[in-house]
Amino acid sequence: MQFRGNKQFASAVGLVLGLLCAVEAAKVNKHKPWIETTYHGIVTENDDKVLLDPPLIALDKDAPLRYAESFEVTLTKEGEICGFRIHGQNVPFEAVVLDKSTGEGVIRAKDKLDCELQKEHTFTIQAYDCGEGPDGANMKKSHKATVHIQVNDINEYSPVFKEKSYKATVIEGKKYDSILKVEAVDADCSFQFSQICSYEIVTPDVPFTIDKDGYIKNTEKLNYGKDHMYKLTVTAYDCGKSRASEDVLVKINVKPTCKPGWTGFNKRIEYEPGTGSLALFPSMHLETCDEPITSIQASIELETNHIGKGCDRDTYSEKSLHKLCGASTGTVELLPAPSSSANWTVGLPTDNGHDSDQVFEFNGTQAIKVPEGVVSTSLKEPFTVSVWMRHGPGAHEKETILCNSDKTEMNRHHFSLYVHNCRLIMLLRQDPSEAENYKPAEFHWKLDQVCDKEWHHYVLNVEFLTVSLFVDGTTFEPFLVTEDYPLHASKIDTQLTIGACWQGGNARMAQFFRGNLAGLMIRSGKLENKKVIDCLYTCKEGLDVQLPEEVASAVKVEFNPNQSSLTVEGDDIDAFDKVMQHISYLNSRQFPTPGIRHLRVSTTVKCFNEEACVAVPEAEGYIMVLQPEEPKISLSGIDHFARGAAEFESQEGVTLFPELRIVSTITREVEADAEPEVTQGAEDDPTVQETVVSEEIMHNLDTCEVTAVGDELDGEHESLEVDLAQLQQRGLEMSSSNVGLVITGVNTMANYEQVLHLIRYKNWHTEALFDRKFKLVCSELNGRYISNDFKVEVNVIHTANPMEHANNAMVQPNFINPVHHASVDLSGHNLVNAHQASVVPSAATIVIVVCVSFLVFMIILGVFRIRAAHQRTMRDQENGKENEMDWDDSALTITVNPMETYEDQHSSEEEEEEEEESEDGEEEDDITSAESESSEDEEGGEPEDQQGASRQQQLEWDDSTLTY
């Protein structure tokens, strides 16, 4: 029993020793922790707990056996799991050990997760034990395991529509499979909550429905007469049954049955002069009724044939237009406007209905002869002929435009331009002195323009053996050139005619022209500059287009030469509409011709299906060019002055318009400014009127004419002159006649002022001249706007040299001299009246003064005697007074001078004339010293009492020489 007890004791001791050895052995950290290689987790956004599969547990072989825990053995930390480490950038998770001994842990989110930002997270995790000893030496780490975590979505967002509102247009009477589509989106990240599962029309009782994809269609045919527009409210639901945060408005317009054509086209378009380009179709759109289009072609035509010579051009004379276009000098106008210096066109019918655009009509019976000396250009040298012509289909006879033929005896045509069977023919015969051989004599052009009843501009450059033709700026070659012998030599003069050809042998006109001519010019030398020719023809009005950059390559635009029509081609309707909206009308004239310009748009459309292709009707309208504000040209300055006779006879002469000023104004109506309270009450007041305001403007002049009023100028002793060098410097020309002189040329008003200041009047026979009157008139645009008649009267001052008298008492008193000069200077009488006025007052005035002096003396004497008698009467009795008064009556004799009436009238005339002299201060330099003294003696500005006192003093001085 003792042995058995010892045996049990020994076993226990051995077991304890074994356990102690095992414990000591366990204190050594020999193994790494172990975890799974892959984990998958799920976490819900807005939560931090992650559910992992499999669970996060780390195992370590160094951990003690569980059954040994029942022994009272001190256990160390070897084999425990101290933590987990997550590897990765910006990982929003952390791993936490729940039990070190078992190695159990969890993964949780550091912050709230957002599925919409990131739906999945992937990172690596590693476990580590607690190492050996209290300081955790020899710590072991597990391998790295991959963790995939998916963030589950919650339905936190509601659907939102992409557009704030939707619009669509439908045509009545048509049922659509789809009118438009509305679309909503959901910001949730999951398929369930981010998908839109249904749409719904909230508005009740509407003939529309919507499917789950958002397509809206009509359930019945719509009627434009019933409703023009429907307004629908639509909402959306996601698959989580969350409704849209805001419903959307859908507008569906109902259009009448579609009709192809242009929309947004205004038939009347008003153009205000001076406003530049005006867009003609700013809202234009081509409606094709949804028909597939392959190409579009539109032609826009501006009809201006009824305006002037085919369109709006400057209406200056043709000679002035040549200068403005840069042609050289030497141009002769064969069809000028009738004037005093060019009167051979007076008998021709003219068309002045287009704002003074001078057009001459030839009806087959009229023709004119150009006077000799008008054309200095030799037709044997190169020359140019230009003309505007409108001609229609006529008879099969020659119709002559311009002809140079024998004046007498024979009917030979040396040079001729005529029309025959819609052909333009130039006849140019050789000089008789040349060799007897064939040379080109007739040049034929077959032109449609000759007989189309439209205005065309023709320029012919004539040289030896060749003639070149330009029609509307385009060159045409002759289709036929015939040759002929030269003319026989003769000494017969030639006659230049227009509208027919002069037959010298028969002394009559033949080959009359039927049509209209204007601007017929002839000049020496060729007109080769194409720019000049184009300038003469180019219109001042036309169509224009500024292509937007985004459509410039998609659309093709072509103009005709005078820009009265253009063609647009393209295949994209939107680009085509933009081009049409940029087409504009421009009139560059300062004062355009008012009236209507018809506008036509012709459109051709091609479709994929030619049978069902739409036909676009023509769009017609018109441009109304409003009446320009007409300028009022005013001439002002000194209109009455006097100069000494010596100045008229000097080499410089007398300047007629020294202070002339030319001003042009336009009148506009503007609303009158008023106080606010007054304006409110005046809105309904019919008496409120607009204020008229004058505004000064600047423009050109083309003619100023100075004419003598009364008798024509006598070239033997008087003339009007101007500095020709100054004229040429300003590009102006001057022509003179016995009527006056005319300055022509397009130039500014300032330049015309300067030239008119230089006009001088000379007269080297002034003995019988006392006054001369002239009239000045200026105009613009060939007489369209004419100034006022500015009349100037110039008086001649004749200086008298009185004879020396032996008896100074018989010399004419000084105060009588101005009577003579005043009547001459400013009276404006003719020669006879002036002469009488210079003789009669000198003799009659002396008699008048003596008679008046004697009469005044007698009146004063009588008054003195009456006053003395009255004083005596106060002292005497009444009987004595009556006797003395009777004596007074018998002694006093009052004589009425019959010349007194004439003296009073003459003195009043002197006062008026002296007042006019005081206004013309510059005339005082021309009066002699003696005349100045006499003028001071007769100054008429004193009051009547001062005049009476002065006269009484003179009369009292006269009394001293009388005896009584």
Side-chain angles (χ1 to χ4, degrees), residues 818 924-939:
E924 295 177 1
D925 298 335
D926 300 325
I927 303 175
T928 61
S929 59
E931 293 168 343
S932 299
E933 293 175 359
S934 61
S935 298
E936 292 175 358
D937 293 340
E938 293 188 358
E939 189 70 25

Side-chain angles (χ1 to χ4, degrees), residues 761-791:
Y761 171 65
K762 292 183 180 180
N763 192 310
W764 46 92
H765 186 65
T766 58
E767 293 82 0
L769 179 67
F770 288 89
D771 61 66
R772 200 71 163 102
K773 297 179 181 179
F774 298 93
K775 180 179 71 174
L776 172 64
V777 178
C778 295
S779 64
E780 162 69 337
L781 292 174
N782 206 17
R784 179 176 176 183
Y785 302 116
I786 304 175
S787 71
N788 60 307
D789 291 350
F790 180 66
K791 295 182 179 180

Side-chain angles (χ1 to χ4, degrees), residues 151-163:
V151 182
N152 282 348
D153 186 25
I154 61 174
N155 195 7
E156 58 184 325
Y157 292 102
S158 299
V160 177
F161 285 95
K162 288 186 175 182
E163 303 289 341

Side-chain angles (χ1 to χ4, degrees), residues 48 84 94 191 227 296 371 393 395 416 419 598 601 650 770 834 936:
D48 61 348
F84 297 92
E94 61 181 359
F191 178 82
D227 277 308
I296 311 169
S416 179
V419 175
H598 289 282
V601 180
S650 65
F770 288 89
E936 292 175 358

